[in-house]
Amino acid sequence: MSTSPDSVQRFRHAWWKDAVAYQIYPRSFMDSNGDGIGDIPGILARLDYLQWLGVDVIWICPIYRSPNDDNGYDVSDYQAIMAEFGTMADFDRLLAEVHRRGMRLILDLVLNHTSDEHAWFVESRTSPESPKRDWYIWRDGKTDGKAGGPPNNWESIFGGPAWELDEASGQYFLHLFSRRQPDLNWECAPMREALYGMVRWWLDKGIDGFRLDAVSHIRKAPGLPDMPNPRGLAQVPCFPLHMNVDGVLGHLDELCRRTFRHYDVMTVGEANGVGPAEAVEWVGESRRRLDMIFQFEHLALWSANPRAGLDVAGLKRVFGAWQKALAGQGWNALFLENHDIPRIVSKWGDPVHHWHASATALATMYFLMQGTPYIYQGQEIGMTNTVFESVDDFNDVWAKNQFALRRAAGDDEATILADVSLTARDHSRTPMQWDAGVNAGFSTATPWLKVNPNYPRINVAAQQDDPDSVLGYYRRLIALRKAEPTLVYGRYALLAPADTQIYAYTRSEGDSRIVVITNLTARPACFTQPGLSLCHAGLLLANRTVAAHADTDTIALAPYEARVYRTS
Ligand code: NOJ
Ligand code: CA
């Protein structure tokens, strides 16, 4: 057997590796019945658009029955459809229509917690003797010192204590997210069995896989110990005790063995806290666990200082580490946006001076790495962050918690508004901008969340017929990835590692080599790579007009310029 680098890197082909995925936030995608809320028939009405764009896999955020404390991530019945979104018959029709167009459909699987309205929790709550008591995480309050206080000092990811007192029994239940999202107890075998049965029920319906919500949180540190608290906080962020805790892979193994492994489906886990060093344990093909994970390390680059611009060197370090860690062994999930983070053009691009160029350069940068690229609805038309004028403009439970906690701490309203506006999840949840008509073509009624006021300028209809628009560019990017197996399976190698403006890399397989060059800053840049021959005839894609040029190893790049060349 040859041991050339290319053969070491060669992957088994799989439909989900060739695929381009598109994430739908159903509440905001398309409203079909004029109640201001997106729904399943609305998605059906836009399937032709997704097919036109070149999408292969559609991931829909939760559509299950839910009281909507966290917009569907609080499931009250896993096997029913949220009434606002439609019926199970609508869902069946959606699945059939997606398949008829040669696309696939994956659902969001929320296994870490349920809604407090889920029948399991309702029953669990009835008494400490309930047969389902152990399906959730119930504990007595602390008896030492502050009698009646929560069992430990953990802070909820959404702010405030991670425990809620149940007055009737005097015990507390754990909720890593909102108080209305009690955590399931993964140490309880009958609970796990019930989840597996539900998962198989959906797989038997013929769906094509799942995105696994918060899956790195399903195991908690045994004994639920206090987090060290040197600053004497009321509650302490305690990620090391509930995220990627030892033993989580055992839970994952059982889940995969009992469900996914028996079907031709794809799985992508939301895996906060998992780093490249352990990535192979999660998605290494020999491990037979998940197919991909969404890692959080590039998001941390931004959240560490949301007011700073893009750290190009840091980004190269993070993405490079993931490309290297999984080369030849497992598969990456590539993404810049989702429903939990602000819009990428606003975060790392320049929505005012270089809207088109920065949207397309960022797209080029992440889309052509090794892995399956995900597009979040609206990203493909360069949707930007919105403007929040008051607390009433927010819907998100996280944002509302922040307002309550910061007000209680005595912060002034304007400061809270400015801070929450910086990181709010609602930025990416404003309705999809379909056209310049009323409510951006999303709904005939007032939408559940205000439409971004820039919709008359940024919308699908304004871009769909223009191959040079952001949307037209995404479509060409998708087509290019499909036409060039090297861009799917080829080896990744970073170029110009020390450059602080340019992110450039090659993808190569056998004799085929493609170079991706992006200037990710608002300043001109110069790319040079001795020995590389960039020839004009080899230009596969560019986000601005490139004048004919002689073969060269050096090119001047305009702000946010992106080019893709075939080289030899
Ligand atoms: C991650 C989801 O993406 C987010 O929207 C949700 O609030 C939490 N998990 C809790 O389910
Ligand atoms: Ca509706």
Side-chain angles (χ1 to χ4, degrees):
M1 199 165 108
S2 156
T3 54
S4 77
D6 278 344
S7 68
V8 172
Q9 305 270 334
R10 185 148 300 137
F11 277 109
R12 186 173 55 86
H13 283 231
W15 60 263
W16 42 267
K17 292 178 184 169
D18 293 319
V20 169
Y22 187 95
Q23 181 192 352
I24 289 181
Y25 196 68
R27 219 174 172 72
S28 306
F29 192 61
M30 183 68 208
D31 172 25
S32 72
N33 61 347
D35 63 358
I37 297 172
D39 46 51
I40 294 174
I43 300 174
L44 267 157
R46 298 296 183 175
L47 286 183
D48 288 340
Y49 165 74
L50 297 178
Q51 189 180 26
W52 168 86
L53 184 57
V55 167
D56 304 293
V57 171
I58 300 170
W59 151 31
I60 313 187
C61 288
I63 50 168
Y64 316 104
R65 184 163 298 158
S66 162
N68 276 311
D69 188 55
D70 187 19
N71 287 346
Y73 283 96
D74 48 321
V75 179
S76 56
D77 186 342
Y78 289 107
Q79 285 163 245
I81 300 293
M82 192 187 303
E84 287 168 333
F85 290 169
T87 62
M88 195 57 84
D90 290 330
F91 175 80
D92 291 341
R93 206 151 45 91
L94 177 67
L95 183 59
E97 287 298 313
V98 167
H99 285 166
R100 197 170 66 77
R101 287 169 177 78
M103 299 189 285
R104 318 231 187 188
L105 186 64
I106 71 170
L107 295 184
D108 218 307
L109 187 56
V110 190
L111 296 175
N112 178 69
H113 46 268
T114 66
S115 159
D116 61 352
E117 292 186 21
H118 194 291
W120 297 344
F121 186 74
V122 171
E123 197 177 325
S124 180
R125 178 171 222 166
T126 51
S127 107
E129 281 69 51
S130 156
K132 290 209 169 53
R133 189 65 163 186
D134 197 32
W135 286 36
Y136 293 83
I137 302 173
W138 291 95
R139 293 289 184 276
D140 292 329
K142 270 189 183 159
T143 46
D144 58 320
K146 281 187 267 167
N152 67 23
N153 63 8
W154 293 10
E155 183 185 63
S156 150
I157 294 171
F158 284 172
W163 294 94
E164 184 74 3
L165 177 64
D166 171 55
E167 300 280 353
S169 67
Q171 284 197 312
Y172 291 79
F173 64 86
L174 180 74
H175 61 90
L176 293 186
F177 296 93
S178 96
R179 4 200 302 276
R180 304 212 44 204
Q181 292 169 297
D183 278 53
L184 286 161
N185 177 16
W186 272 74
E187 306 312 314
C188 170
M191 188 290 291
R192 298 199 303 272
E193 286 304 317
L195 283 180
Y196 304 154
M198 174 276 288
V199 171
R200 286 194 300 262
W201 184 85
W202 279 105
L203 294 172
D204 288 338
K205 237 182 192 307
I207 66 162
D208 302 293
F210 285 110
R211 175 261 191 187
L212 285 78
D213 183 66
V215 69
S216 55
H217 294 279
I218 58 178
R219 175 149 167 102
K220 290 34 173 190
L224 312 178
D226 269 335
M227 187 70 188
N229 189 8
R231 289 194 288 148
L233 302 170
Q235 292 91 37
V236 193
C238 54
F239 286 86
L241 299 177
H242 62 61
M243 183 176 75
N244 196 15
V245 168
D246 255 6
V248 67
L249 291 169
H251 287 330
L252 208 53
D253 273 336
E254 189 187 77
L255 167 66
C256 297
R257 204 171 57 240
R258 300 294 309 283
T259 60
F260 314 131
R261 248 181 235 173
H262 307 280
Y263 301 81
D264 176 22
V265 293
M266 63 167 270
T267 52
V268 52
E270 188 198 27
N272 196 2
V274 177
E278 315 137 281
V280 166
E281 289 303 325
W282 286 72
V283 298
E285 299 195 349
S286 61
R287 308 300 196 278
R288 304 185 68 206
R289 290 182 178 128
L290 301 177
D291 295 321
M292 299 172 243
I293 50 175
F294 291 122
Q295 53 87 14
F296 275 53
E297 295 196 321
H298 62 301
L299 307 182
L301 274 183
W302 172 79
S303 54
N305 186 0
R307 288 191 165 86
L310 170 59
D311 167 9
V312 177
L315 191 66
K316 292 199 276 198
R317 211 170 41 241
V318 168
F319 280 159
W322 281 88
Q323 291 288 302
K324 187 165 168 220
L326 293 180
Q329 301 203 68
W331 203 244
N332 273 288
L334 310 170
F335 75 102
L336 292 180
E337 290 195 12
N338 64 36
H339 63 293
D340 290 332
I341 44 179
R343 293 286 184 179
I344 197 65
V345 199
S346 302
K347 282 164 64 172
W348 280 348
D350 181 342
V352 177
H353 305 100
H354 300 284
W355 168 70
H356 174 279
S358 61
T360 50
L362 286 160
T364 314
M365 177 273 296
Y366 91 102
F367 210 86
L368 300 179
M369 292 186 196
Q370 192 173 67
T372 294
Y374 290 73
I375 299 169
Y376 175 67
Q377 67 182 44
Q379 179 187 335
E380 79 278 19
I381 55 168
M383 277 179 66
T384 69
N385 282 353
T386 192
V387 184
F388 302 104
E389 277 157 7
S390 79
V391 62
D392 301 331
D393 285 349
F394 294 91
N395 163 273
D396 180 22
V397 59
W398 173 84
K400 296 203 154 143
N401 277 357
Q402 294 306 307
F403 271 92
L405 291 164
R406 301 259 319 248
R407 275 178 186 147
D411 291 350
D412 73 276
E413 207 70 7
T415 312
I416 310 176
L417 183 63
D419 288 349
V420 175
S421 293
L422 204 59
T423 50
R425 306 196 294 179
D426 291 302
H427 282 301
S428 54
R429 299 177 180 185
T430 61
M432 179 70 183
Q433 294 165 205
W434 293 105
D435 58 44
V438 65
N439 300 321
F442 163 73
S443 175
T444 51
T446 305
W448 68 278
L449 188 66
K450 276 188 192 164
V451 175
N452 188 317
N454 67 17
Y455 77 87
R457 184 168 54 87
I458 300 178
N459 63 66
V460 172
Q463 300 184 31
Q464 199 160 9
D465 295 331
D466 176 4
D468 291 323
S469 63
V470 176
L471 178 58
Y473 188 86
Y474 263 97
R475 187 163 181 256
R476 289 188 288 140
L477 193 56
I478 294 170
L480 176 63
R481 187 179 181 279
K482 283 185 205 273
E484 297 285 350
T486 302
L487 290 173
V488 179
Y489 294 99
R491 185 162 36 100
Y492 164 98
L494 183 67
L495 298 177
D499 198 294
T500 54
Q501 290 181 268
I502 296 172
Y503 196 150
Y505 55 92
T506 54
R507 301 292 310 279
S508 35
E509 194 180 36
D511 295 336
S512 163
R513 184 152 67 136
I514 294 175
V515 189
V516 179
I517 306 166
T518 59
N519 173 8
L520 299 183
T521 69
R523 286 167 289 123
C526 180
F527 172 80
T528 181
Q529 183 71 31
L532 198 67
S533 178
L534 302 172
C535 101
H536 190 259
L539 192 64
L540 297 172
L541 187 68
N543 68 350
R544 55 188 287 141
T545 309
V546 177
H549 62 76
D551 295 2
T552 178
D553 60 8
T554 302
I555 53 175
L557 295 168
Y560 295 106
E561 181 165 2
R563 299 190 198 180
V564 182
Y565 286 92
R566 183 193 309 287
T567 65
S568 46

